Amino acid sequence: MSGTDRISRAVLTRHFFVATVMQAVVAFCIAFLLSRLNPVPPPGDGLQLPTAFQFGTLFLLAGSWFLHRSVQHVKIERQVPFRRSLLLALACAILFVGVQSFGLWHFASATKDVENPQMNVHGFVFMFTALHAMHFLVAQSVLLWITLSAFADRYDHEYYWGVTFASCFWHVLGIVWLGILCVFAIAVQ
């Protein structure tokens, strides 16, 4: 590894840190804005799927599509559409985290049995959703690193394994999220 490569990795790492903080701030602002625009729901006995989860699912699916397109573009060395697709996937990830954070807050606020949430279905579904959120934050970090690396010209038609990995990771988490929504559908009935 040359000295220049080490310097560029150091710069890339600093950019990653700054971008991670920025995307966290944006996601928090989205969640905060949504919480200000939507009233706190009254606690109830039944399990209700927050509308935010449905909108978040759309962002997850759109991000999945953009990541799929980014792999296709890098394979045929179309760098501009490749990078644009990564940026759009990253934007979808940030929107997903912001909307889902609001959805989790909304969901937790609607729990009637605040003293003993693990004894009802709310706690079970909340745990699944929170675990998915933690895994998604890892996937979002991978996507951010891949996007920054793409703008540093680290991927081309011969080397794009990282992009393929990020795409597969995202698709798997999308499938898991759809499974969580199925658990929601079963629990609501």
Side-chain angles (χ1 to χ4, degrees):
M1 181 182 293
S2 69
T4 316
D5 193 30
R6 270 189 236 128
I7 292 170
S8 64
R9 284 191 186 267
V11 170
L12 187 63
T13 303
R14 280 193 294 276
H15 289 172
F16 177 74
F17 176 76
V18 170
T20 299
V21 170
M22 287 174 37
Q23 74 179 4
V25 167
V26 170
F28 175 79
C29 288
I30 290 168
F32 181 76
L33 181 65
L34 288 172
S35 71
R36 291 314 219 181
L37 295 174
N38 295 294
V40 176
D45 286 327
L47 181 68
Q48 293 181 348
L49 177 68
T51 307
F53 286 180
Q54 297 163 5
F55 283 107
T57 302
L58 295 176
F59 292 127
L60 185 68
L61 294 173
S64 189
W65 171 252
F66 289 127
L67 269 171
H68 175 73
R69 294 294 296 160
S70 70
V71 172
Q72 290 177 332
H73 290 307
V74 75
K75 282 182 179 180
I76 56 175
E77 201 65 50
R78 296 185 64 210
Q79 290 292 326
V80 172
F82 162 60
R83 292 175 182 150
R84 186 178 331 119
S85 293
L86 285 175
L87 285 174
L88 289 169
L90 189 58
C92 288
I94 293 168
L95 287 167
F96 177 79
V97 169
V99 170
Q100 292 296 94
S101 297
F102 164 72
L104 277 172
W105 169 78
H106 198 269
F107 181 71
S109 299
T111 303
K112 185 173 185 175
D113 191 3
V114 180
E115 300 298 320
N116 202 1
Q118 66 269 30
M119 296 306 289
N120 61 32
V121 73
H122 286 88
F124 181 72
V125 175
F126 186 85
M127 180 208 54
F128 267 134
T129 307
L131 282 172
H132 180 265
M134 288 188 291
H135 285 86
F136 191 83
L137 290 176
V138 171
Q140 185 179 4
S141 296
V142 170
L143 175 58
L144 179 60
W145 182 262
I146 296 300
T147 303
L148 292 172
S149 296
F151 279 93
D153 290 327
R154 298 207 185 260
Y155 299 110
D156 60 19
H157 69 282
E158 292 177 349
Y159 179 74
Y160 56 88
W161 183 86
V163 182
T164 303
F165 173 78
S167 180
C168 291
F169 195 11
W170 186 294
H171 296 327
V172 167
L173 286 176
I175 291 167
V176 169
W177 177 246
L178 293 175
I180 291 171
L181 290 178
C182 287
V183 169
F184 249 119
I186 291 167
V188 168
Q189 303 200 359

